[in-house]
PDB file of all heavy atoms in Angstrom:
ATOM      1  N   LEU T 179      -3.209  -8.283   4.506  1.00  0.00           N
ATOM      2  CA  LEU T 179      -3.319  -9.575   3.828  1.00  0.00           C
ATOM      3  C   LEU T 179      -2.120  -9.733   2.899  1.00  0.00           C
ATOM      4  O   LEU T 179      -1.679  -8.768   2.265  1.00  0.00           O
ATOM      5  CB  LEU T 179      -4.622  -9.636   3.024  1.00  0.00           C
ATOM      6  CG  LEU T 179      -5.926  -9.613   3.845  1.00  0.00           C
ATOM      7  CD1 LEU T 179      -7.118  -9.529   2.911  1.00  0.00           C
ATOM      8  CD2 LEU T 179      -6.006 -10.825   4.758  1.00  0.00           C
ATOM      9  N   PRO T 180      -1.548 -10.947   2.800  1.00  0.00           N
ATOM     10  CA  PRO T 180      -0.307 -11.118   2.009  1.00  0.00           C
ATOM     11  C   PRO T 180      -0.398 -10.568   0.595  1.00  0.00           C
ATOM     12  O   PRO T 180       0.528  -9.886   0.130  1.00  0.00           O
ATOM     13  CB  PRO T 180      -0.120 -12.641   2.022  1.00  0.00           C
ATOM     14  CG  PRO T 180      -0.742 -13.081   3.302  1.00  0.00           C
ATOM     15  CD  PRO T 180      -1.938 -12.189   3.492  1.00  0.00           C
ATOM     16  N   GLY T 181      -1.497 -10.838  -0.127  1.00  0.00           N
ATOM     17  CA  GLY T 181      -1.604 -10.359  -1.502  1.00  0.00           C
ATOM     18  C   GLY T 181      -1.611  -8.848  -1.596  1.00  0.00           C
ATOM     19  O   GLY T 181      -0.897  -8.259  -2.416  1.00  0.00           O
ATOM     20  N   ALA T 182      -2.408  -8.175  -0.734  1.00  0.00           N
ATOM     21  CA  ALA T 182      -2.488  -6.716  -0.762  1.00  0.00           C
ATOM     22  C   ALA T 182      -1.176  -6.090  -0.304  1.00  0.00           C
ATOM     23  O   ALA T 182      -0.728  -5.072  -0.864  1.00  0.00           O
ATOM     24  CB  ALA T 182      -3.644  -6.247   0.128  1.00  0.00           C
ATOM     25  N   TYR T 183      -0.540  -6.696   0.704  1.00  0.00           N
ATOM     26  CA  TYR T 183       0.706  -6.138   1.228  1.00  0.00           C
ATOM     27  C   TYR T 183       1.804  -6.192   0.168  1.00  0.00           C
ATOM     28  O   TYR T 183       2.506  -5.201  -0.064  1.00  0.00           O
ATOM     29  CB  TYR T 183       1.129  -6.909   2.476  1.00  0.00           C
ATOM     30  CG  TYR T 183       2.182  -6.211   3.300  1.00  0.00           C
ATOM     31  CD1 TYR T 183       1.822  -5.467   4.419  1.00  0.00           C
ATOM     32  CD2 TYR T 183       3.526  -6.270   2.952  1.00  0.00           C
ATOM     33  CE1 TYR T 183       2.780  -4.809   5.177  1.00  0.00           C
ATOM     34  CE2 TYR T 183       4.490  -5.620   3.697  1.00  0.00           C
ATOM     35  CZ  TYR T 183       4.107  -4.892   4.816  1.00  0.00           C
ATOM     36  OH  TYR T 183       5.059  -4.233   5.554  1.00  0.00           O
ATOM     37  N   ASP T 184       1.964  -7.360  -0.467  1.00  0.00           N
ATOM     38  CA  ASP T 184       3.003  -7.475  -1.489  1.00  0.00           C
ATOM     39  C   ASP T 184       2.708  -6.576  -2.682  1.00  0.00           C
ATOM     40  O   ASP T 184       3.623  -6.005  -3.289  1.00  0.00           O
ATOM     41  CB  ASP T 184       3.132  -8.932  -1.943  1.00  0.00           C
ATOM     42  CG  ASP T 184       3.891  -9.781  -0.929  1.00  0.00           C
ATOM     43  OD1 ASP T 184       4.786  -9.234  -0.256  1.00  0.00           O
ATOM     44  OD2 ASP T 184       3.584 -10.979  -0.800  1.00  0.00           O
ATOM     45  N   LEU T 185       1.406  -6.406  -3.019  1.00  0.00           N
ATOM     46  CA  LEU T 185       1.055  -5.490  -4.110  1.00  0.00           C
ATOM     47  C   LEU T 185       1.525  -4.075  -3.797  1.00  0.00           C
ATOM     48  O   LEU T 185       2.079  -3.385  -4.661  1.00  0.00           O
ATOM     49  CB  LEU T 185      -0.458  -5.507  -4.319  1.00  0.00           C
ATOM     50  CG  LEU T 185      -1.012  -4.513  -5.359  1.00  0.00           C
ATOM     51  CD1 LEU T 185      -0.485  -4.851  -6.751  1.00  0.00           C
ATOM     52  CD2 LEU T 185      -2.534  -4.514  -5.342  1.00  0.00           C
ATOM     53  N   ALA T 186       1.319  -3.630  -2.554  1.00  0.00           N
ATOM     54  CA  ALA T 186       1.752  -2.283  -2.174  1.00  0.00           C
ATOM     55  C   ALA T 186       3.272  -2.154  -2.209  1.00  0.00           C
ATOM     56  O   ALA T 186       3.801  -1.089  -2.531  1.00  0.00           O
ATOM     57  CB  ALA T 186       1.234  -1.950  -0.771  1.00  0.00           C
ATOM     58  N   MET T 187       3.989  -3.241  -1.893  1.00  0.00           N
ATOM     59  CA  MET T 187       5.443  -3.173  -1.896  1.00  0.00           C
ATOM     60  C   MET T 187       6.007  -3.197  -3.321  1.00  0.00           C
ATOM     61  O   MET T 187       7.027  -2.581  -3.605  1.00  0.00           O
ATOM     62  CB  MET T 187       6.016  -4.335  -1.088  1.00  0.00           C
ATOM     63  CG  MET T 187       5.617  -4.340   0.380  1.00  0.00           C
ATOM     64  SD  MET T 187       5.965  -2.786   1.256  1.00  0.00           S
ATOM     65  CE  MET T 187       7.753  -2.747   1.176  1.00  0.00           C
ATOM     66  N   PHE T 188       5.338  -3.924  -4.225  1.00  0.00           N
ATOM     67  CA  PHE T 188       5.830  -3.997  -5.596  1.00  0.00           C
ATOM     68  C   PHE T 188       5.484  -2.763  -6.415  1.00  0.00           C
ATOM     69  O   PHE T 188       6.188  -2.409  -7.348  1.00  0.00           O
ATOM     70  CB  PHE T 188       5.252  -5.235  -6.305  1.00  0.00           C
ATOM     71  CG  PHE T 188       5.690  -6.535  -5.699  1.00  0.00           C
ATOM     72  CD1 PHE T 188       4.823  -7.605  -5.637  1.00  0.00           C
ATOM     73  CD2 PHE T 188       6.967  -6.687  -5.197  1.00  0.00           C
ATOM     74  CE1 PHE T 188       5.210  -8.804  -5.078  1.00  0.00           C
ATOM     75  CE2 PHE T 188       7.370  -7.884  -4.637  1.00  0.00           C
ATOM     76  CZ  PHE T 188       6.485  -8.950  -4.573  1.00  0.00           C
ATOM     77  N   ASP T 189       4.372  -2.097  -6.084  1.00  0.00           N
ATOM     78  CA  ASP T 189       3.887  -0.964  -6.872  1.00  0.00           C
ATOM     79  C   ASP T 189       3.813   0.267  -5.961  1.00  0.00           C
ATOM     80  O   ASP T 189       3.000   0.314  -5.030  1.00  0.00           O
ATOM     81  CB  ASP T 189       2.507  -1.285  -7.456  1.00  0.00           C
ATOM     82  CG  ASP T 189       2.053  -0.261  -8.493  1.00  0.00           C
ATOM     83  OD1 ASP T 189       2.208   0.951  -8.239  1.00  0.00           O
ATOM     84  OD2 ASP T 189       1.529  -0.678  -9.545  1.00  0.00           O
ATOM     85  N   HIS T 190       4.626   1.280  -6.242  1.00  0.00           N
ATOM     86  CA  HIS T 190       4.718   2.454  -5.365  1.00  0.00           C
ATOM     87  C   HIS T 190       3.401   3.224  -5.302  1.00  0.00           C
ATOM     88  O   HIS T 190       3.070   3.801  -4.257  1.00  0.00           O
ATOM     89  CB  HIS T 190       5.842   3.371  -5.840  1.00  0.00           C
ATOM     90  CG  HIS T 190       6.093   4.517  -4.907  1.00  0.00           C
ATOM     91  ND1 HIS T 190       6.635   4.360  -3.650  1.00  0.00           N
ATOM     92  CD2 HIS T 190       5.853   5.858  -5.039  1.00  0.00           C
ATOM     93  CE1 HIS T 190       6.727   5.523  -3.052  1.00  0.00           C
ATOM     94  NE2 HIS T 190       6.268   6.450  -3.864  1.00  0.00           N
ATOM     95  N   ASP T 191       2.639   3.249  -6.391  1.00  0.00           N
ATOM     96  CA  ASP T 191       1.365   3.974  -6.371  1.00  0.00           C
ATOM     97  C   ASP T 191       0.411   3.361  -5.350  1.00  0.00           C
ATOM     98  O   ASP T 191      -0.291   4.077  -4.621  1.00  0.00           O
ATOM     99  CB  ASP T 191       0.727   3.956  -7.761  1.00  0.00           C
ATOM    100  CG  ASP T 191       1.509   4.805  -8.762  1.00  0.00           C
ATOM    101  OD1 ASP T 191       2.251   5.702  -8.317  1.00  0.00           O
ATOM    102  OD2 ASP T 191       1.384   4.557  -9.981  1.00  0.00           O
ATOM    103  N   TYR T 192       0.371   2.036  -5.293  1.00  0.00           N
ATOM    104  CA  TYR T 192      -0.465   1.370  -4.288  1.00  0.00           C
ATOM    105  C   TYR T 192       0.068   1.613  -2.881  1.00  0.00           C
ATOM    106  O   TYR T 192      -0.701   1.697  -1.918  1.00  0.00           O
ATOM    107  CB  TYR T 192      -0.548  -0.132  -4.569  1.00  0.00           C
ATOM    108  CG  TYR T 192      -1.496  -0.483  -5.696  1.00  0.00           C
ATOM    109  CD1 TYR T 192      -1.004  -0.857  -6.944  1.00  0.00           C
ATOM    110  CD2 TYR T 192      -2.862  -0.435  -5.503  1.00  0.00           C
ATOM    111  CE1 TYR T 192      -1.866  -1.168  -7.989  1.00  0.00           C
ATOM    112  CE2 TYR T 192      -3.745  -0.744  -6.538  1.00  0.00           C
ATOM    113  CZ  TYR T 192      -3.237  -1.109  -7.782  1.00  0.00           C
ATOM    114  OH  TYR T 192      -4.101  -1.412  -8.797  1.00  0.00           O
ATOM    115  N   HIS T 193       1.380   1.730  -2.766  1.00  0.00           N
ATOM    116  CA  HIS T 193       1.991   2.007  -1.455  1.00  0.00           C
ATOM    117  C   HIS T 193       1.574   3.394  -0.957  1.00  0.00           C
ATOM    118  O   HIS T 193       1.246   3.572   0.230  1.00  0.00           O
ATOM    119  CB  HIS T 193       3.514   1.915  -1.565  1.00  0.00           C
ATOM    120  CG  HIS T 193       4.184   1.663  -0.262  1.00  0.00           C
ATOM    121  ND1 HIS T 193       5.522   1.342  -0.153  1.00  0.00           N
ATOM    122  CD2 HIS T 193       3.721   1.676   1.012  1.00  0.00           C
ATOM    123  CE1 HIS T 193       5.837   1.177   1.111  1.00  0.00           C
ATOM    124  NE2 HIS T 193       4.763   1.379   1.842  1.00  0.00           N
ATOM    125  N   VAL T 194       1.570   4.376  -1.843  1.00  0.00           N
ATOM    126  CA  VAL T 194       1.119   5.717  -1.475  1.00  0.00           C
ATOM    127  C   VAL T 194      -0.349   5.681  -1.057  1.00  0.00           C
ATOM    128  O   VAL T 194      -0.744   6.288  -0.048  1.00  0.00           O
ATOM    129  CB  VAL T 194       1.328   6.694  -2.648  1.00  0.00           C
ATOM    130  CG1 VAL T 194       0.667   8.035  -2.355  1.00  0.00           C
ATOM    131  CG2 VAL T 194       2.815   6.881  -2.924  1.00  0.00           C
ATOM    132  N   LEU T 195      -1.176   4.966  -1.827  1.00  0.00           N
ATOM    133  CA  LEU T 195      -2.594   4.842  -1.490  1.00  0.00           C
ATOM    134  C   LEU T 195      -2.761   4.201  -0.108  1.00  0.00           C
ATOM    135  O   LEU T 195      -3.600   4.647   0.695  1.00  0.00           O
ATOM    136  CB  LEU T 195      -3.309   4.005  -2.547  1.00  0.00           C
ATOM    137  CG  LEU T 195      -4.787   3.678  -2.260  1.00  0.00           C
ATOM    138  CD1 LEU T 195      -5.623   4.950  -2.214  1.00  0.00           C
ATOM    139  CD2 LEU T 195      -5.332   2.708  -3.309  1.00  0.00           C
ATOM    140  N   GLU T 196      -1.982   3.176   0.180  1.00  0.00           N
ATOM    141  CA  GLU T 196      -2.043   2.513   1.484  1.00  0.00           C
ATOM    142  C   GLU T 196      -1.777   3.498   2.617  1.00  0.00           C
ATOM    143  O   GLU T 196      -2.528   3.560   3.603  1.00  0.00           O
ATOM    144  CB  GLU T 196      -1.027   1.379   1.533  1.00  0.00           C
ATOM    145  CG  GLU T 196      -0.941   0.671   2.875  1.00  0.00           C
ATOM    146  CD  GLU T 196       0.298  -0.194   2.995  1.00  0.00           C
ATOM    147  OE1 GLU T 196       1.407   0.278   2.607  1.00  0.00           O
ATOM    148  OE2 GLU T 196       0.173  -1.316   3.496  1.00  0.00           O
ATOM    149  N   HIS T 197      -0.712   4.289   2.491  1.00  0.00           N
ATOM    150  CA  HIS T 197      -0.366   5.227   3.559  1.00  0.00           C
ATOM    151  C   HIS T 197      -1.417   6.335   3.704  1.00  0.00           C
ATOM    152  O   HIS T 197      -1.731   6.749   4.822  1.00  0.00           O
ATOM    153  CB  HIS T 197       1.012   5.829   3.281  1.00  0.00           C
ATOM    154  CG  HIS T 197       2.130   4.906   3.621  1.00  0.00           C
ATOM    155  ND1 HIS T 197       3.462   5.247   3.470  1.00  0.00           N
ATOM    156  CD2 HIS T 197       2.137   3.641   4.121  1.00  0.00           C
ATOM    157  CE1 HIS T 197       4.218   4.247   3.854  1.00  0.00           C
ATOM    158  NE2 HIS T 197       3.435   3.253   4.249  1.00  0.00           N
ATOM    159  N   VAL T 198      -1.966   6.811   2.595  1.00  0.00           N
ATOM    160  CA  VAL T 198      -3.014   7.834   2.665  1.00  0.00           C
ATOM    161  C   VAL T 198      -4.242   7.286   3.384  1.00  0.00           C
ATOM    162  O   VAL T 198      -4.844   7.960   4.244  1.00  0.00           O
ATOM    163  CB  VAL T 198      -3.382   8.332   1.254  1.00  0.00           C
ATOM    164  CG1 VAL T 198      -4.637   9.199   1.297  1.00  0.00           C
ATOM    165  CG2 VAL T 198      -2.224   9.120   0.645  1.00  0.00           C
ATOM    166  N   LEU T 199      -4.628   6.048   3.071  1.00  0.00           N
ATOM    167  CA  LEU T 199      -5.779   5.437   3.729  1.00  0.00           C
ATOM    168  C   LEU T 199      -5.505   5.204   5.207  1.00  0.00           C
ATOM    169  O   LEU T 199      -6.387   5.379   6.052  1.00  0.00           O
ATOM    170  CB  LEU T 199      -6.138   4.121   3.044  1.00  0.00           C
ATOM    171  CG  LEU T 199      -6.838   4.237   1.684  1.00  0.00           C
ATOM    172  CD1 LEU T 199      -6.998   2.870   1.046  1.00  0.00           C
ATOM    173  CD2 LEU T 199      -8.197   4.915   1.832  1.00  0.00           C
ATOM    174  N   PHE T 200      -4.284   4.791   5.543  1.00  0.00           N
ATOM    175  CA  PHE T 200      -3.932   4.597   6.949  1.00  0.00           C
ATOM    176  C   PHE T 200      -4.098   5.905   7.733  1.00  0.00           C
ATOM    177  O   PHE T 200      -4.721   5.934   8.796  1.00  0.00           O
ATOM    178  CB  PHE T 200      -2.486   4.099   7.081  1.00  0.00           C
ATOM    179  CG  PHE T 200      -2.334   2.609   6.908  1.00  0.00           C
ATOM    180  CD1 PHE T 200      -1.105   2.057   6.603  1.00  0.00           C
ATOM    181  CD2 PHE T 200      -3.403   1.762   7.059  1.00  0.00           C
ATOM    182  CE1 PHE T 200      -0.948   0.691   6.447  1.00  0.00           C
ATOM    183  CE2 PHE T 200      -3.275   0.389   6.911  1.00  0.00           C
ATOM    184  CZ  PHE T 200      -2.036  -0.148   6.599  1.00  0.00           C
ATOM    185  N   MET T 201      -3.505   6.992   7.225  1.00  0.00           N
ATOM    186  CA  MET T 201      -3.549   8.254   7.960  1.00  0.00           C
ATOM    187  C   MET T 201      -4.960   8.836   7.999  1.00  0.00           C
ATOM    188  O   MET T 201      -5.410   9.318   9.045  1.00  0.00           O
ATOM    189  CB  MET T 201      -2.570   9.260   7.336  1.00  0.00           C
ATOM    190  CG  MET T 201      -1.112   8.927   7.608  1.00  0.00           C
ATOM    191  SD  MET T 201       0.060  10.200   7.037  1.00  0.00           S
ATOM    192  CE  MET T 201       0.048   9.877   5.285  1.00  0.00           C
ATOM    193  N   GLY T 202      -5.677   8.779   6.870  1.00  0.00           N
ATOM    194  CA  GLY T 202      -7.025   9.326   6.845  1.00  0.00           C
ATOM    195  C   GLY T 202      -7.976   8.565   7.753  1.00  0.00           C
ATOM    196  O   GLY T 202      -8.719   9.164   8.543  1.00  0.00           O
ATOM    197  N   SER T 203      -7.953   7.227   7.666  1.00  0.00           N
ATOM    198  CA  SER T 203      -8.855   6.433   8.508  1.00  0.00           C
ATOM    199  C   SER T 203      -8.509   6.581   9.981  1.00  0.00           C
ATOM    200  O   SER T 203      -9.387   6.509  10.844  1.00  0.00           O
ATOM    201  CB  SER T 203      -8.800   4.964   8.093  1.00  0.00           C
ATOM    202  OG  SER T 203      -7.508   4.410   8.298  1.00  0.00           O
TER     203      SER T 203
END
């Protein structure tokens, strides 16, 4: 979703969380 995607790009901590969730799920 645009809001969540841009949040992950602007904030590295959210970006790390995104990748961890991708790999774990």
